[in-house]
């Protein structure tokens, strides 16, 4: 009991106590503990017989932290962050490469056993602790506080090159406002008195030439920087201005942007699906896509790539998921959110796959028909010159209306008769399946294959504008989440205006991003995409899992979730978090390391003379840079562990955010009055409500410890208990 209270003064004096209980309680603030966990072990919202709970202020309303305006805004933000460019150009490629419809089986299984549980875990810790990635893991276990720092650094690396892709989309978007589209035909070069097709374009294709030469103006190797590409530099500047405007006010501005950037891509995808299904050959593409090759399911590589795609599709480890959920109320049903967003992400991937292969099926038919026409002209030439006998041509064949089936029959006859000299004729089989099997992904899909298909659409500029505007919005949604994953931990730790921080981050990022808008910049985009995120993020997520499931304790975490949500999550999550997910992640890390060790480190360089890509190994300096990205991203993990393990610096665990400290101080200010009230009313400590807000941990350099009420000799237990103490899970 503090010595300066009226009660202790009266207790130690000989004067009679004249104040009534009503007088002493008249100055008390009304408190509501209906949602609190009482020290005597009552469940939230329940009361002991004959015991009334004192009301307490709403902690979410008083801690000063910004909050989402409504649930829809929050869901759209999470969907916008998780549904990105990878759903459009990575998932369809993996589906085609790894067995078509059969690939969906391992993907769905891994989504259930690692995707949803880990997504739920990140949502829960962010919502429970109400801080960014750095603060959350400092709060759970200070010695693993490097998790948040590594997460922030990976966000920085990814944001640098991801916005370059948005810049490319912006460039194509503005180039689409013309007819015909600038990549529809190869340019004509005047050479003296002759007008010839650009040789580089003739050796490749119009869309490929426009991408590598007109857009990137790419060099032939990573050693040759070539100087800045000013068109791409301006596009990158526009991209960073858009991102800065979207996040400058925090969730108040980004939440509004998400209404459009998250919903508009679905409008475009549905429009493309309807249009694509009306195109000739669309059904061939979809049938090829979903025809299952069941034998592929037995290959370990398929499962590894499915796990990696699940991992990155949901944005695990980036910090954006935790940052967004930290602005929720503590009683928000994050379990429902995790399931809903994961299902939406999966359905979006399927929808995008349908769209991509409906369009690519149409493109394959166009290219196959062109192949038939070109080779039919060759055969006519051989017939006119006597190289081939007219008797080899079946009588029903009409060269003016030659179908793919007729050509296949004629091709088979010629190949059989001219078996010895057939290779010299230079005829192609023109099989539709071969065109459909040409797997493309990433920029090759979006900026080459898909753009080529759209040139054959009626009203092609309209569809091109829609497509690239969709890519801009998909990228913007992911960039908002990435930037939130960077700014939220910094704003939690330091008193700084979010507007100043956002502008500073965007300016610095633009300057660093100039690396990617050199003429050789595409090679650096490939390097960062391959090395900056994959392995570091997998390590980050497995440490997140271990810190919650094994260090903090799965049972304790499940109890916290029950107190927070009002119901106990399924036992399924207990086993996933504690056993299955860590095991799968360990296997994924091992497989990733083996893949990096076995596969040659390099990039596909564009060879102007050949009009084609050619694989080049990284030079020593570039290889050192690639591995430096991995080391830099993972360095905070051991570094923070060592300095805190040996108490070289303060663990920072008590450096809560400004808003969090305000809420804590308001709770602490009532301790004296609560003690005084219990003294007057003559209640035992066990009968009185806990003065602390539910489940708040008070951390010390050794870890997180319970708040102990030394006045009464008993501990007031909270949901977050002593992490450092041994816990029985039996």
């Amino acid at each position: 009991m503090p010595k300066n209270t009226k009660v202790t003064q009266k207790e130690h004096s000989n004067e009679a106590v004249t104040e009534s209980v009503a007088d002493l309680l008249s100055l008390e603030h009304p408190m509501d503990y209906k949602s609190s966990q009482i020290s005597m072990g009552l469940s939230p919202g329940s009361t002991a017989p004959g015991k009334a709970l004192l009301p307490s202020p709403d902690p979410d309303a008083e801690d000063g932290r910004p909050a989402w305006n409504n649930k829809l805004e929050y869901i759209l933000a999470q969907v916008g962050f998780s549904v990105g460019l990878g759903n459009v150009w990575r998932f369809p490629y993996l589906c085609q490469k790894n067995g078509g419809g059969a690939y969906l089986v391992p993907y769905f299984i891994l989504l259930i056993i690692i995707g949803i549980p880990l997504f739920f875990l990140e949502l829960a810790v962010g919502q429970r602790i109400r801080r960014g990635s750095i603060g959350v893991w400092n709060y759970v276990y200070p010695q693993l506080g490097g998790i948040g720092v590594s997460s922030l650094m990976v966000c920085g690396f990814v944001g640098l090159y991801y916005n370059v892709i948005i810049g490319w989309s912006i460039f194509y978007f503005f180039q689409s406002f013309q007819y015909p589209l600038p990549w529809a035909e190869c340019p004509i070069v005047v050479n003296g008195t002759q007008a010839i097709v650009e040789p580089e374009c003739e050796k490749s294709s119009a869309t490929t030439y426009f991408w590598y030469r007109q857009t990137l103006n790419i060099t032939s190797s990573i050693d040759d920087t070539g100087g800045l590409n000013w068109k791409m530099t301006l596009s990158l500047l526009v991209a960073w201005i858009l991102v800065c405007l979207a996040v400058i006010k925090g969730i108040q501005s980004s939440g509004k942007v998400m209404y459009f950037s998250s919903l508009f891509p679905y409008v475009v995808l549905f429009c493309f699906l309807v249009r694509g299904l009306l195109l000739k050959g669309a059904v061939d593409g979809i049938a090829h896509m979903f025809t299952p090759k069941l034998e592929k399911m037995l290959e370990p590589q398929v499962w590894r790539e499915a796990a990696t795609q699940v991992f990155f599709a949901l944005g695990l480890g980036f910090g954006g998921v935790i940052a967004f959920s930290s602005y929720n109320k503590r009683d928000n049903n994050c379990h429902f959110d995790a399931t809903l967003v994961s299902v939406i992400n999966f359905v979006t991937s399927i929808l995008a796959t349908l769209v991509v292969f409906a369009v690519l099926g149409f493109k394959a038919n166009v290219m196959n028909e062109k192949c038939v026409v070109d080779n039919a002209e060759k055969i006519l030439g051989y017939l006119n010159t006597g190289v081939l006998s007219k008797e080899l041509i079946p009588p029903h064949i009409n060269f003016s209306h030659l179908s793919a089936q007729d050509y296949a029959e004629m091709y088979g006859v010629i190949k059989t008769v001219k078996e010895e000299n057939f290779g010299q004729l230079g005829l192609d089989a023109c099989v539709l399946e071969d065109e459909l099997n040409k797997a493309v992904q990433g920029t090759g899909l979006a900026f080459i294959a898909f753009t080529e298909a759209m040139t054959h659409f009626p009203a092609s500029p309209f569809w091109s504008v829609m497509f690239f505007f969709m890519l801009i919005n998909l990228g913007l949604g992911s960039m908002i989440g990435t930037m939130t994953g960077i700014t939220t931990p910094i704003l939690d730790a330091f008193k700084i205006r979010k507007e100043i921080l956002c502008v500073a981050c965007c300016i610095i990022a633009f300057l660093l991003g100039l690396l990617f808008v050199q003429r050789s910049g595409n090679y650096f985009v490939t390097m960062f995409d391959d090395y900056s995120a994959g392995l570091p993020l997998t390590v980050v997520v497995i440490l997140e899992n271990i810190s919650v499931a094994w260090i903090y304790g799965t049972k304790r975490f499940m109890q916290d979730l029950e107190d927070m949500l009002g119901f106990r999550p399924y036992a399924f999550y207990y086993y996933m978090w504690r056993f299955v997910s860590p095991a799968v992640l360990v296997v994924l890390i091992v497989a990733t390391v083996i893949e990096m060790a076995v596969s040659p480190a390099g990039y596909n360089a564009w060879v102007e003379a050949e009009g084609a890509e050619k694989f080049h190994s990284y030079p020593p300096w570039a290889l050192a840079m690639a591995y430096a990205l991995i080391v830099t991203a993972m360095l905070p993990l051991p570094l923070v562990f060592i300095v805190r393990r040996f108490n070289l610096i303060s663990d920072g665990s008590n450096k809560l955010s400004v808003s969090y400290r305000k809420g804590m101080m308001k709770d602490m200010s009532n301790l004296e009055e609560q003690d005084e009230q219990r003294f007057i009313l003559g209640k035992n400590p066990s009968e009185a409500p806990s003065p602390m807000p539910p489940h708040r941990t008070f951390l010390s350099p050794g870890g997180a410890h319970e708040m102990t009420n030394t006045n009464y000799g008993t501990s007031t237990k909270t949901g977050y208990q002593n992490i450092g103490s041994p816990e029985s899970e039996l």
Side-chain angles (χ1 to χ4, degrees):
M1 179 74 63
K3 294 181 180 181
N4 59 347
T5 63
K6 289 183 178 181
V7 177
T8 52
Q9 290 173 4
K10 297 298 182 182
E11 180 184 11
H12 294 293
S13 70
N14 296 324
E15 299 179 15
V17 178
T18 58
E19 292 90 341
S20 66
V21 172
D23 291 335
L24 290 171
L25 295 183
S26 63
L27 299 177
E28 295 294 318
H29 295 287
M31 306 185 74
D32 182 8
Y33 277 92
K34 289 182 180 180
S35 61
S36 300
Q37 183 182 15
I38 307 306
S39 59
M40 55 193 292
L42 298 178
S43 61
S46 63
T47 61
K51 306 289 183 186
L53 297 183
L54 295 176
S56 95
D58 180 6
D60 295 330
E62 291 197 3
D63 67 1
R65 190 173 186 81
W68 297 102
N69 291 329
N70 53 66
K71 183 65 172 283
L72 177 60
E73 199 172 276
Y74 165 67
I75 292 296
L76 290 177
Q78 290 286 14
V79 169
F81 178 50
S82 65
V83 175
L85 297 173
N87 296 75
V88 174
W89 66 32
R90 178 67 177 168
F91 185 90
Y93 162 76
L94 291 175
C95 203
Q96 179 189 20
K97 175 186 175 184
N98 295 317
Y103 173 75
L104 299 179
V105 176
Y107 184 88
F108 186 74
I109 291 174
L110 291 166
L111 178 66
I112 296 298
I113 65 174
I114 65 170
I116 295 178
L118 294 176
F119 192 59
F120 180 25
L121 183 146
E122 288 201 356
L123 289 180
V125 296
Q127 179 176 308
R128 176 64 191 82
I129 302 174
R130 293 173 63 78
R131 297 163 76 188
S133 57
I134 294 179
V136 159
W137 304 112
N138 278 342
Y139 198 69
V140 172
Y141 190 58
Q143 292 181 15
L144 289 180
I147 293 175
V149 183
S150 287
S151 179
L152 186 147
M153 296 188 70
V154 172
C155 276
F157 288 149
V158 172
L160 286 176
Y161 77 84
Y162 200 89
N163 219 27
V164 175
I165 300 174
I166 299 178
W168 294 340
S169 302
I170 291 172
F171 176 76
Y172 267 77
F173 172 75
F174 285 108
Q175 290 291 317
S176 299
F177 288 95
Q178 50 186 305
Y179 184 82
L181 291 170
W183 51 81
E185 297 178 354
C186 285
I188 303 298
V189 179
V190 178
N191 185 10
T193 58
Q194 292 183 330
I196 60 173
V197 176
E198 170 64 46
E200 184 181 3
C201 183
E202 190 175 22
K203 293 175 183 176
S204 53
S205 68
T207 51
T208 305
Y209 173 82
F210 186 86
W211 167 242
Y212 282 111
R213 188 56 52 211
Q214 299 290 345
T215 303
L216 301 179
N217 194 19
I218 199 165
T219 59
S220 58
S221 73
I222 197 172
D223 289 304
D224 181 11
T225 62
L228 287 178
N229 181 338
W230 291 106
K231 291 184 290 186
M232 293 302 101
T233 303
L234 183 60
S235 299
L236 179 63
L237 178 61
V238 174
W240 276 114
I241 290 174
L242 289 176
V243 171
C244 189
L245 292 175
V247 301
I248 195 167
K249 292 290 185 181
I251 62 172
Q252 278 72 29
S253 58
S254 62
K256 302 297 184 295
V257 173
M258 286 298 184
Y259 279 109
F260 184 81
S261 65
S262 295
L263 294 176
F264 179 75
Y266 290 96
V267 175
V268 177
L269 284 175
F270 277 112
C271 290
F272 264 99
L273 180 61
V274 173
R275 185 68 188 91
L277 291 175
L278 298 176
L279 296 171
K280 180 183 178 182
V283 176
D284 295 329
I286 293 175
H288 173 78
M289 179 68 258
F290 289 102
T291 301
K293 302 177 180 65
L294 298 178
E295 66 278 3
K296 285 279 189 178
M297 291 177 58
L298 302 178
E299 298 179 10
Q301 178 74 2
V302 174
W303 289 83
R304 186 188 72 82
E305 293 189 345
T308 303
Q309 179 61 17
V310 167
F311 188 82
F312 288 105
L314 294 175
L316 299 175
F318 280 95
V321 173
I322 292 175
F324 279 150
S325 65
S326 72
Y327 299 113
N328 272 329
K329 293 184 177 181
R330 286 195 181 91
D331 60 353
N332 173 63
N333 189 347
C334 54
H335 175 258
F336 171 79
D337 299 342
T339 306
L340 177 64
V341 174
S342 299
V343 170
I344 290 175
N345 190 292
F346 180 65
V347 172
T348 304
S349 297
I350 300 297
L351 175 62
T353 301
L354 287 171
V355 170
V356 166
F357 279 91
V359 174
L360 292 184
F362 163 71
K363 173 180 173 289
N365 268 269
V366 171
M367 300 305 294
N368 196 59
E369 289 176 358
K370 182 181 178 182
C371 177
V372 169
V373 171
D374 292 343
N375 283 272
E377 291 178 354
K378 288 184 181 180
I379 293 175
L380 279 174
Y382 293 143
L383 291 174
N384 293 332
T385 56
V387 176
L388 292 177
S389 171
K390 295 183 179 180
E391 297 178 356
L392 297 177
I393 308 303
H396 65 277
I397 297 293
N398 182 357
F399 277 90
S400 60
H401 297 88
L402 189 64
S403 67
Q405 292 77 13
D406 292 339
Y407 175 78
E409 181 181 353
M410 183 170 56
Y411 177 86
V413 172
I414 295 174
K415 185 176 182 180
T416 302
V417 175
K418 294 285 186 178
E419 183 175 359
E420 294 181 359
N421 302 321
F422 181 77
Q424 299 175 1
L425 298 177
L427 298 177
D428 297 318
C430 297
V431 179
L432 181 63
E433 190 76 11
D434 293 339
E435 286 291 337
L436 292 171
N437 281 330
K438 291 180 180 179
V440 288
Q441 64 164 327
T443 54
L445 174 63
F447 298 106
I448 297 177
F450 216 88
T451 53
E452 183 174 353
M454 286 187 295
T455 59
H456 302 288
F457 280 21
S460 55
F462 168 78
W463 294 104
S464 183
V465 168
M466 292 283 283
F467 176 71
F468 288 108
F469 195 38
M470 178 191 71
L471 292 187
I472 292 170
N473 280 275
L474 284 172
L476 185 60
S478 297
M479 275 302 299
I480 288 174
T482 302
M483 288 295 292
T484 305
I486 295 172
T487 58
T488 297
I490 298 175
L491 291 171
D492 285 343
F494 304 101
K495 285 186 177 181
I496 182 173
R497 287 178 59 88
K498 64 171 68 75
E499 294 87 351
I500 296 175
L501 176 63
C502 290
V503 171
C505 286
C506 291
I507 292 174
I508 294 171
F510 169 72
L511 295 176
L512 293 175
L514 295 178
L515 171 70
F516 306 102
V517 290
Q518 302 175 101
R519 290 180 57 195
S520 61
N522 188 46
Y523 304 140
F524 290 99
V525 170
T526 302
M527 176 193 294
F528 273 65
D529 191 39
D530 290 342
Y531 291 92
S532 68
L535 185 60
L537 275 187
T538 312
V539 174
V540 163
V541 173
I542 193 173
L543 290 177
E544 290 180 356
N545 194 347
I546 291 172
S547 64
V548 171
W550 288 89
I551 299 177
Y552 180 75
T554 314
K555 282 190 175 180
R556 187 179 299 159
F557 186 57
M558 293 285 281
Q559 181 60 47
D560 291 339
L561 290 174
E562 182 177 0
D563 298 335
M564 186 169 69
L565 303 177
F567 64 89
R568 191 172 187 84
Y570 300 114
F572 163 81
Y573 291 104
Y574 175 90
Y575 295 104
M576 293 299 105
W577 287 329
R578 191 158 179 82
F579 303 110
V580 179
S581 296
V584 172
L585 289 172
V586 167
V587 172
L588 181 58
I589 289 174
V590 173
T592 302
V593 172
I594 293 175
E595 178 74 13
M596 292 176 62
V598 172
S599 301
Y603 61 101
N604 290 320
W606 179 254
V607 182
E608 182 178 355
E610 300 177 7
E613 288 183 330
K614 185 177 181 180
F615 182 82
H616 285 184
S617 296
Y618 282 124
W621 67 266
L623 191 61
M625 182 178 177
Y627 287 121
L629 291 173
I630 299 176
V631 173
T632 303
M634 295 175 61
L635 188 61
L637 297 170
L639 193 61
V640 173
F641 180 84
I642 291 171
V643 297
R644 289 185 176 168
R645 179 69 179 84
F646 297 101
N647 296 319
L648 300 180
I649 62 172
S650 171
D651 63 14
S653 57
N654 284 317
K655 294 181 180 179
L656 306 180
S657 65
V658 173
S659 62
Y660 214 84
R661 288 199 299 269
K662 287 180 180 178
M664 181 181 292
M665 292 306 297
K666 289 181 180 180
D667 296 320
M668 293 295 291
S669 66
N670 289 325
L671 275 175
E672 180 181 316
E673 296 172 352
Q674 294 280 343
D675 290 342
E676 185 173 312
Q677 177 188 339
R678 286 195 289 270
F679 180 85
I680 296 172
L681 296 179
K683 290 191 176 185
N684 293 326
S686 61
E687 296 174 345
S690 168
M692 298 309 301
H695 327 305
R696 182 169 286 157
T697 313
F698 289 87
L699 302 175
S700 68
H705 298 279
E706 299 172 352
M707 183 67 177
T708 303
N709 190 338
T710 57
N711 292 335
Y712 297 109
T714 58
S715 63
T716 304
K717 294 193 175 182
T718 62
Y720 284 90
Q721 300 176 13
N722 183 3
I723 296 177
S725 62
E727 176 200 14
S728 173
E729 292 288 348
L730 301 177

